[in-house]
Amino acid sequence: MYTFSSKLKNLSLILMVLGALGIGYGFFTAPKNTEEVEAILASGHGEHHEASASKHEAKPAHKEEVHVTEIVKDSAALAVNHLDSISKNVEEGHVAAVATPAHDTHEAKSEGNEVAHDAHAEHAEHVEHVFHQLQNKPWAALYVAALFFMLISLGVLAFYAIQHAAQAGWSPVLFRVMEALTSYLVPGAIIVYVLLVLSSLHFNHLFVWMDPEVVKHDELIQGKAGYLNVPFFLIRAAIFMGGWIFYRQYTRKNALLLDETNDATYYKKNFKASAAFLAFFLVSESMMSWDWIMSVDPHWYSTLFGWYVFASFFVSGITVIALTTLYLKSKGYLENVNNSHFHDLAKFMFGISVFWTYLWFSQFMLMWYANIPEEVTYFKFRIEHYNLPFFGMVAMNFVFPILILINTDFKRVPWIISMAGIVILCGHYLDFHNMIYPATVGDQWFIGISEISSILFFLGLFIFVVFTTLAKQPLLPKGNPLIDESKHFHY
Amino acid sequence: MSNKVIHALYNDDDVLMDAVKQTRLAHHHIEEVYTPFPVHGLDKAMGLAPTRIAICAFLYGLTGLSFGTWMMNYIMIQDWPQDIGGKPSFSYIQNMPSFVPIMFEETVFFAAHLMVITFYMRSKLWPFKTAENPDVRTTDDHFLMEVAVNNNEDELTSFLKNTGAVEVKVVEKH
């Protein structure tokens, strides 16, 4: 039996209190009207962003010019024979160039007043826009963290179901750990659902398609209204979360009955339930990613988005299994877990990290290559305004694990697995941050008090729920027919 | 010094594993073990050093990655930077996503093929090589352990017979 150490319990409570205070601070300091936004913009925060963005754009343009002059030189050399026609063209060009400025100044004078007026309206519109983004910021911070931790739990659940359906011989000693990690799914899903309901009730502006004013002027969203409408959205969410929670509670109950009775029918029930869950999960997960993540950008779509989101939280889930197991092992609770179990988990961390990268790159490269304006704005905005998090997460989720976890010996060293695991988790938090923030907060993003507090709050809650469940049952599932194989698993 | 060896034949891999462990405990030098299929844990029981072929493969992969990068950079950026369908060819990084499939395949190609060739060279395998099989049965259902003899022929023979060998014979090696 595991006992929830008071140290860890206090830590989780401290994290929750600190996080809650920080979340409250985030909501409290969010601007309440446009005047406050004016003050923020005047202090130079926004201008800095804009300046750096324009610098980015200026660089390639300059290079292009240089290139163009080179080409002009070459073609001039080739075109000696046609000198006459060239000079003629140049003369004509001169005439046109002289003519246009005069024309322009004339018009500019007459329309000068109007231009000033437009600039003022534009500024007001800009302030209004920034105001909405800054108001969204504490909500987005809360939403990303809530979603991230719930999806970690869901990733563990998917892994658990796969272990059952595949009748894996190595993992049964870890089943209690996985069941404890999935216990967070119940409170986690409820919190996310409440946030979705609050969005539907217009407490925030995370989902732009929920705003009837926006939809009125947006034919693209109108066309999607058959799918993207609030009642259907909430019903879908309830069905998905209900299905996941039902599977989790059902298998947990059967697993405990299996321990008590040693009756193999419970094992068979779990096997069948897992196979059915996996089919349900693949459909619901895909639709969940359209609903809760992709729909913050209702003008954009990507076909492999569901798998991409899946890979992101699946690898996070496996990483959390590895970290929890390492922690429990270090406290001496898991006598039957050996290096080979860690080796297997680390292999999964490595493999699914590469899988995530494959999907990330496939999504990015296909859109970058075709460069269709309606698709590519998604990445253009991220590269311009989220450059470091966008490419930083590729380094954290791909380059780092591939270099560290490729070595067989390293995959058995606890501190190396822990280090790689923490980097992977931070990287995938950034991944979700990059999915939600650009559409809701835009270039006003920052990883500050709101974001870190939200992470701390949900981390505390996660630890509290998981370790409370862990303390309820013995850590070794005795009744599982594969448990002996799992105890002696050796790679 | 004669170059005699003893061939001890076994017909079960568990018996072979035990025999290998006993022989090593008794400090007899095992020259070679011939088996019809991979016996798990045999290399550990014999005390063989772990293979370094994975390290080779990693380095070959890096070579392939460098080659792919260099090739695409030279051809597409340095030598003739054409405008092909609007792809930016001003610097390598600007057009990198379209080179990644090639860089990846070159990495895998170099890693896989050079590792296989390394394996063939280190194991001395090639198409017209004469087989070095001491007993035809070892490719079918028998396991053979070859132990060096150092003026202790009788002692070693009786020792190997006690390890469960179905046949023990002294062979002159040329």
Side-chain angles (χ1 to χ4, degrees):
Chain A
M1 276 300 266
Y2 168 75
T3 43
F4 195 172
S5 73
S6 60
K7 246 191 201 170
L8 195 62
K9 192 178 254 174
N10 288 337
L11 175 73
S12 70
L13 293 174
I14 290 168
L15 286 176
M16 274 193 272
V17 170
L18 275 181
L21 286 176
I23 292 169
Y25 174 82
F27 279 103
F28 184 72
T29 51
K32 275 149 209 80
N33 49 46
T34 44
E35 278 99 60
E36 285 181 39
V37 177
E38 293 266 23
I40 293 169
L41 286 180
S43 71
H45 183 74
E47 277 167 39
H48 172 70
H49 268 291
E50 270 170 35
S52 64
S54 61
K55 225 190 248 171
H56 272 294
E57 268 173 28
K59 261 188 203 164
H62 182 66
K63 269 184 196 163
E64 219 162 320
E65 273 173 18
V66 173
H67 199 70
V68 167
T69 44
E70 272 173 23
I71 291 169
V72 168
K73 269 186 216 160
D74 286 353
S75 61
L78 284 173
V80 177
N81 293 339
H82 304 286
L83 252 179
D84 284 358
S85 66
I86 287 179
S87 63
K88 210 176 176 186
N89 282 344
V90 168
E91 265 169 42
E92 277 172 6
H94 269 297
V95 172
V98 172
T100 36
H103 189 62
D104 275 354
T105 42
H106 182 66
E107 264 184 21
K109 264 182 195 169
S110 66
E111 288 173 6
N113 289 340
E114 255 174 67
V115 170
H117 189 69
D118 279 356
H120 185 70
E122 209 171 278
H123 177 71
E125 206 173 283
H126 175 66
V127 169
E128 180 78 14
H129 185 62
V130 174
F131 171 58
H132 282 302
Q133 293 181 329
L134 287 176
Q135 271 204 322
N136 262 341
K137 201 168 161 285
W139 284 102
L142 199 62
Y143 183 60
V144 170
L147 197 64
F148 182 60
F149 279 93
M150 188 213 69
L151 289 179
I152 284 179
S153 197
L154 185 64
V156 177
L157 191 68
F159 191 72
Y160 179 71
I162 292 171
Q163 299 304 308
H164 268 299
Q167 303 183 18
W170 65 277
S171 51
V173 287
L174 303 173
F175 276 1
R176 286 288 174 274
V177 178
M178 293 185 211
E179 283 162 15
L181 289 169
T182 55
S183 68
Y184 177 76
L185 192 61
V186 183
I190 290 170
I191 291 170
V192 172
Y193 195 79
V194 167
L195 286 175
L196 295 179
V197 170
L198 289 179
S199 295
S200 312
L201 297 174
H202 307 297
F203 278 86
N204 57 52
H205 214 259
L206 290 182
F207 298 93
V208 70
W209 58 265
M210 285 176 176
D211 188 344
E213 273 304 305
V214 175
V215 179
K216 215 190 279 175
H217 304 291
D218 193 323
E219 286 185 29
L220 278 173
I221 300 181
Q222 281 167 20
K224 295 178 182 184
Y227 186 79
L228 286 182
N229 60 73
V230 170
F232 190 25
F233 175 81
L234 290 179
I235 292 169
R236 281 196 306 265
I239 292 172
F240 302 156
M241 288 169 169
W244 303 335
I245 291 173
F246 172 74
Y247 166 76
R248 193 268 157 191
Q249 303 297 65
Y250 178 76
T251 41
R252 167 79 167 176
K253 192 188 78 192
N254 279 340
L256 296 182
L257 281 171
L258 182 65
D259 270 11
E260 267 173 43
T261 57
N262 253 340
D263 181 354
T265 49
Y266 293 113
Y267 178 75
K268 286 180 189 161
K269 274 185 184 171
N270 269 359
F271 173 78
K272 283 179 192 160
S274 302
F277 167 74
L278 285 172
F280 171 74
F281 171 75
L282 280 180
V283 177
S284 58
E285 186 277 327
S286 208
M287 295 177 77
M288 167 278 278
S289 71
W290 310 335
D291 282 5
W292 304 346
I293 300 173
M294 198 156 83
S295 84
V296 295
D297 281 294
H299 286 181
W300 181 79
Y301 50 86
S302 162
T303 21
L304 58 69
F305 195 73
W307 300 342
Y308 169 69
V309 172
F310 166 70
S312 188
F313 71 75
F314 192 53
V315 68
S316 309
I318 295 167
T319 306
V320 172
I321 299 175
L323 293 181
T324 317
T325 317
L326 275 172
Y327 170 77
L328 291 169
K329 177 79 183 166
S330 74
K331 296 285 168 197
Y333 284 109
L334 293 165
E335 52 190 299
N336 293 303
V337 173
N338 56 41
N339 270 346
S340 297
H341 293 102
F342 291 127
H343 192 159
D344 265 24
L345 285 169
K347 275 192 276 188
F348 270 109
M349 282 160 64
F350 174 78
I352 310 293
S353 283
V354 176
F355 177 63
W356 173 85
T357 316
Y358 168 67
L359 292 175
W360 174 83
F361 183 71
S362 301
Q363 181 171 279
F364 171 67
M365 194 263 253
L366 282 178
M367 293 193 172
W368 173 87
Y369 206 106
N371 205 20
I372 303 172
E374 70 211 51
E375 289 179 344
V376 88
T377 44
Y378 185 83
F379 290 109
K380 191 171 159 51
F381 190 81
R382 276 157 180 76
I383 289 172
E384 266 172 28
H385 299 286
Y386 289 69
N387 201 291
L388 185 64
F390 186 69
F391 291 110
M393 83 176 173
V394 181
M396 291 167 85
N397 294 338
F398 174 63
V399 181
F400 185 78
I402 204 174
L403 290 178
I404 293 294
L405 292 176
I406 201 167
N407 188 315
T408 298
D409 298 326
F410 285 3
K411 283 194 279 255
R412 293 164 169 268
V413 182
W415 72 267
I416 289 182
I417 306 175
S418 314
M419 184 180 63
I422 287 164
V423 172
I424 289 174
L425 286 178
C426 293
H428 285 284
Y429 172 79
L430 264 187
D431 188 10
F432 280 94
H433 179 269
N434 290 343
M435 286 193 255
I436 299 290
Y437 266 59
T440 53
V441 184
D443 57 2
Q444 301 298 321
W445 72 276
F446 189 68
I447 298 189
I449 291 176
S450 285
E451 287 74 17
I452 292 168
S453 304
S454 299
I455 298 171
L456 292 184
F457 176 77
F458 285 103
L459 179 66
L461 186 67
F462 188 82
I463 292 174
F464 185 79
V465 172
V466 165
F467 284 86
T468 307
T469 317
L470 215 46
K472 282 181 183 161
Q473 297 294 333
L475 287 178
L476 185 70
K478 297 186 299 291
N480 194 302
L482 294 165
I483 194 69
D484 278 331
E485 182 182 341
S486 178
K487 278 186 200 168
H488 301 119
F489 172 67
H490 178 75
Y491 171 74
Chain B
M1 189 81 177
S2 68
N3 42 0
K4 275 183 184 167
V5 291
I6 293 187
H7 283 171
L9 279 128
Y10 302 85
N11 57 8
D12 189 292
D13 48 342
D14 286 336
V15 181
L16 172 79
M17 285 286 279
D18 281 342
V20 167
K21 280 171 197 160
Q22 285 179 41
T23 315
R24 268 179 49 87
L25 263 178
H27 296 295
H28 297 301
H29 177 67
I30 302 173
E31 300 256 316
E32 193 62 271
V33 176
Y34 296 87
T35 64
F37 53 78
V39 178
H40 284 283
L42 184 62
D43 51 340
K44 283 218 176 76
M46 286 171 70
L48 298 180
T51 173
R52 288 168 296 185
I53 202 158
I55 299 166
C56 288
F58 185 75
L59 297 176
Y60 297 150
L62 290 183
T63 314
L65 183 64
S66 315
F67 176 74
T69 311
W70 169 80
M71 181 175 72
M72 298 317 292
N73 183 51
Y74 177 69
I75 296 174
M76 302 303 290
I77 309 294
Q78 303 297 331
D79 190 35
W80 198 338
Q82 288 187 98
D83 182 341
I84 304 168
K87 286 275 162 290
S89 51
F90 307 113
S91 74
Y92 191 77
I93 196 74
Q94 274 189 314
N95 208 0
M96 199 192 76
S98 53
F99 302 145
V100 165
I102 294 148
M103 288 152 70
F104 170 76
E105 294 294 347
E106 291 286 1
T107 309
V108 175
F109 179 85
F110 272 62
H113 289 82
L114 292 180
M115 176 174 72
V116 168
I117 293 169
T118 307
F119 169 73
Y120 285 152
M121 287 167 71
R122 292 290 291 152
S123 336
K124 302 189 176 66
L125 285 173
W126 60 88
F128 300 103
K129 180 191 167 75
T130 351
E132 293 167 1
N133 193 6
D135 192 310
V136 286
R137 286 172 295 173
T138 59
T139 63
D140 184 16
D141 61 347
H142 277 66
F143 304 83
L144 188 149
M145 179 163 66
E146 188 177 286
V147 185
V149 177
N150 300 305
N151 302 324
N152 54 352
E153 197 180 311
D154 296 333
E155 182 211 335
L156 200 53
T157 310
S158 61
F159 171 79
L160 287 172
K161 269 189 180 145
N162 285 332
T163 60
V166 289
E167 193 181 316
V168 178
K169 53 186 178 184
V170 183
V171 182
E172 188 83 31
K173 253 206 163 177
H174 14 269

